[in-house]
Amino acid sequence: MWDEIKERLDKLSPAQVITGYYLLAVTISVLLLRIPAVHQPGVEVSWLDSAFTAVSAVSVTGLSVINISETYSTFGVFMLMFVLQFGGIGIMTLGTFFWILLGKKIGLRGRRLIMVDHNQSNLSGLVNLIREILKLILIIEAAGALILGVHFLSYYDTFQEAMLHGLFASVSATTNGGFDITGASLIPYADDYFVQLIHIILITLGAIGFPVLIEVKHYLFDRRDYKNFRFSLFTKLTSATFAVLLVVGTVLILLLEGRHYFSGMSWHKTFFYAFFQSATTRSGGLSTLNVNDFAESTQLLLSGLMFIGASPSSVGGGIRTTTFALNVLFLYQFAHGNRDIKVFKREVHQDDVLKSLVITILAVGMCFFAVIVLSLTEAHSVTAIIFEVCSAFGTTGLSMGITPDLSAVGKCVIIILMFIGRIGLTSFLFIIGGKEKKSIYHYPKERVIIG
């Protein structure tokens, strides 16, 4: 029997195995969040709502059909932080870490799983990558928790309460989880620019991509390779795109809301409102204001930014920054009669260009279908539904307040989007298609009329 099960598992593609692991993580998370001690006395949560919260936590989205601060006890808050690590650090990262602790060697199949989970294209150096990721994430979370915890002493009555809020805020921001235990996201700190800056830094460190953080670390601290060090094309492209989206998002929000929500406010308040909202759409999910107060045009802009999401091999979802960048570069080059994409004195592989187009088309189609379904099942505006769908797919967690009012069908649709957003569309495609296959024959080629 066991040999038969093992044989069937060996036939699964790495993407299918990874998906199975994340489904297992969701199942374990649901059971953990059903422990009686997790909830506050007298609070009851349905199985569907527990499943929604578990998927939202594992996918580090932050959308919630319940009020976290009113539902979970202190033990429950710690349990939620533990679940956030499943999605933030990654299943294979945690699994590999415990495997190493037991003194086991990571075989070829294990390395292939790590490669799929972190969108890597090379089998070499994967175990070292896992060590670096785990070390960096834990250091960032610890530093953020200490800084915020000390600062929160001026907000809360006891040292324990301040440190709890600091720890949860750091874990939620670094993993881009989007959850909060204030009951009002970061609105209580709307005038505290220090808290906002720390959150922006933590969100960025989590969303910009683990390979970027590792390369920057080597550049700053590994002096042996300092002279010969060269940043990879991935680091240059994703960092540049990340920065451009942050700046453009901030400027557009300021322009769109200048005569609307920001009217009569001081320049620094409007800047931080716009800056934070632009940063959090990368996948952070926290907010310093009620997005319902924004104009519809701004809400649609935020939806687009959430749809793009974070960088590959990070804690965030969406089509990812590099996908968006390659699409823009391809359109630019195609309009100028070129077929090759050249950027930062490098030429992008044609397979990556094709992959970015496929991911974008699939993402648009999937989100469009989800919007249609929710428009039929939910009594909310199309703008609010688009916002919710993009937030779920981008594993962001921002909402116009419709999440708790979703029907059972609506919750299931959002659960599926959050899960796909976490495992990534590339893995989702390989789940459907199975293992990658190469054509063994070709037909004669013929041109078709396009456009």
Side-chain angles (χ1 to χ4, degrees):
M1 177 183 174
W2 290 111
D3 291 338
E4 196 174 316
I5 294 173
K6 187 177 182 300
E7 187 178 342
R8 288 185 178 181
L9 289 174
D10 288 339
K11 291 180 179 179
L12 295 176
S13 68
Q16 290 170 333
V17 175
I18 287 293
T19 303
Y21 282 159
Y22 275 104
L23 286 172
L24 179 62
V26 169
T27 303
I28 294 172
S29 300
V30 171
L31 295 176
L32 290 175
L33 295 179
R34 295 296 299 177
I35 298 173
V38 162
H39 303 134
Q40 292 192 18
V43 175
E44 292 185 5
V45 181
S46 68
W47 278 94
L48 180 58
D49 288 349
S50 292
F52 191 100
T53 306
V55 173
S56 186
V58 171
S59 65
V60 287
T61 302
L63 287 173
S64 181
V65 292
I66 58 176
N67 187 306
I68 301 299
S69 61
E70 295 175 359
T71 303
Y72 292 117
S73 62
T74 302
F75 174 69
V77 169
F78 276 98
M79 195 61 70
L80 185 60
M81 281 191 282
F82 174 72
V83 174
L84 281 171
Q85 302 295 2
F86 277 130
I89 296 177
I91 295 296
M92 287 311 301
T93 303
L94 290 173
T96 304
F97 171 69
F98 288 118
W99 204 244
I100 292 172
L101 283 181
L102 294 172
K104 305 289 185 180
K105 288 187 176 181
I106 311 300
L108 178 61
R109 185 167 177 78
R111 291 172 188 270
R112 289 180 65 197
L113 292 175
I114 296 170
M115 188 171 70
V116 171
D117 195 26
H118 287 281
N119 291 323
Q120 297 295 304
S121 57
N122 201 323
L123 282 169
S124 64
L126 289 177
V127 176
N128 188 52
L129 173 69
I130 292 300
R131 289 197 189 97
E132 295 274 15
I133 289 173
L134 191 63
K135 191 189 304 181
L136 282 170
I137 286 292
L138 293 179
I139 289 173
I140 292 168
E141 287 180 350
L146 182 61
I147 293 169
L148 289 173
V150 171
H151 186 76
F152 284 161
L153 289 172
S154 60
Y155 283 91
Y156 301 99
D157 296 331
T158 64
F159 176 82
Q160 291 84 353
E161 191 178 8
M163 287 300 164
L164 176 63
H165 276 265
L167 177 61
F168 190 89
S170 179
V171 171
S172 181
T174 306
T175 62
N176 283 202
F179 287 100
D180 67 89
I181 54 174
T182 64
S185 196
L186 291 185
I187 293 177
Y189 313 112
D191 296 320
D192 193 330
Y193 302 146
F194 178 78
V195 170
Q196 292 179 44
L197 279 173
I198 295 299
H199 275 81
I200 289 171
I201 292 170
L202 293 175
I203 289 170
T204 301
L205 291 175
I208 201 167
F210 299 129
V212 176
L213 298 181
I214 292 170
E215 284 191 30
V216 171
K217 172 180 168 290
H218 288 326
Y219 176 76
L220 294 176
F221 301 109
D222 195 348
R223 294 297 176 182
R224 291 173 299 176
D225 300 328
Y226 183 80
K227 291 182 178 179
N228 300 321
F229 189 88
R230 183 181 67 83
F231 285 107
S232 67
L233 177 60
F234 170 79
T235 293
K236 292 176 181 178
L237 187 61
T238 194
S239 298
T241 308
F242 204 99
V244 169
L245 288 171
L246 181 60
V247 173
V248 171
T250 302
V251 172
L252 288 178
I253 293 171
L254 285 170
L255 291 174
L256 291 172
E257 294 297 326
R259 295 185 178 181
H260 184 247
Y261 184 70
F262 294 160
S263 179
M265 292 185 184
S266 61
W267 71 267
H268 51 84
K269 190 162 188 173
T270 59
F271 171 77
F272 270 95
Y273 268 146
F275 187 46
F276 190 90
Q277 266 46 245
S278 180
T280 198
T281 55
R282 289 284 61 73
S283 192
L286 297 165
S287 181
T288 56
L289 48 74
N290 187 339
V291 292
N292 286 293
D293 294 330
F294 275 157
E296 191 173 55
S297 56
T298 310
Q299 292 164 354
L300 291 173
L301 169 65
L302 295 178
S303 300
L305 291 172
M306 291 189 294
F307 177 79
I308 296 170
S311 300
S313 191
S314 72
V315 299
I319 62 171
R320 314 297 168 90
T321 53
T322 48
T323 303
F324 174 73
L326 290 183
N327 287 335
V328 172
L329 290 169
F330 175 75
L331 288 173
Y332 176 81
Q333 295 288 358
F334 190 86
H336 286 76
N338 300 321
R339 296 295 178 269
D340 300 322
I341 296 179
K342 297 180 179 66
V343 58
F344 295 116
K345 297 183 179 180
R346 290 291 184 274
E347 190 168 314
V348 180
H349 200 288
Q350 285 294 330
D351 286 350
D352 292 333
V353 179
L354 181 62
K355 184 178 173 183
S356 68
L357 292 172
V358 170
I359 287 174
T360 304
I361 292 169
L362 179 62
V364 170
M366 187 171 61
C367 290
F368 180 72
F369 180 75
V371 168
I372 291 176
V373 173
L374 292 181
S375 297
L376 294 172
T377 62
E378 313 304 320
H380 298 287
S381 68
V382 175
T383 301
I385 289 172
I386 291 173
F387 196 93
E388 194 83 2
V389 165
C390 290
S391 180
F393 172 70
T395 67
T396 306
L398 290 176
S399 177
M400 291 176 64
I402 72 171
T403 314
D405 301 327
L406 292 174
S407 64
V409 174
K411 290 176 182 177
C412 289
V413 170
I414 296 299
I415 284 173
I416 293 170
L417 284 172
M418 291 190 296
F419 188 78
I420 293 174
R422 178 58 189 92
I423 64 173
L425 281 173
T426 305
S427 296
F428 179 66
L429 280 172
F430 285 125
I431 292 167
I432 299 171
K435 294 182 179 180
E436 188 177 355
K437 299 175 183 177
K438 292 185 178 180
S439 298
I440 57 175
Y441 64 92
H442 296 279
Y443 289 115
K445 293 180 180 179
E446 186 174 340
R447 303 299 295 264
V448 295
I449 300 172
I450 301 294

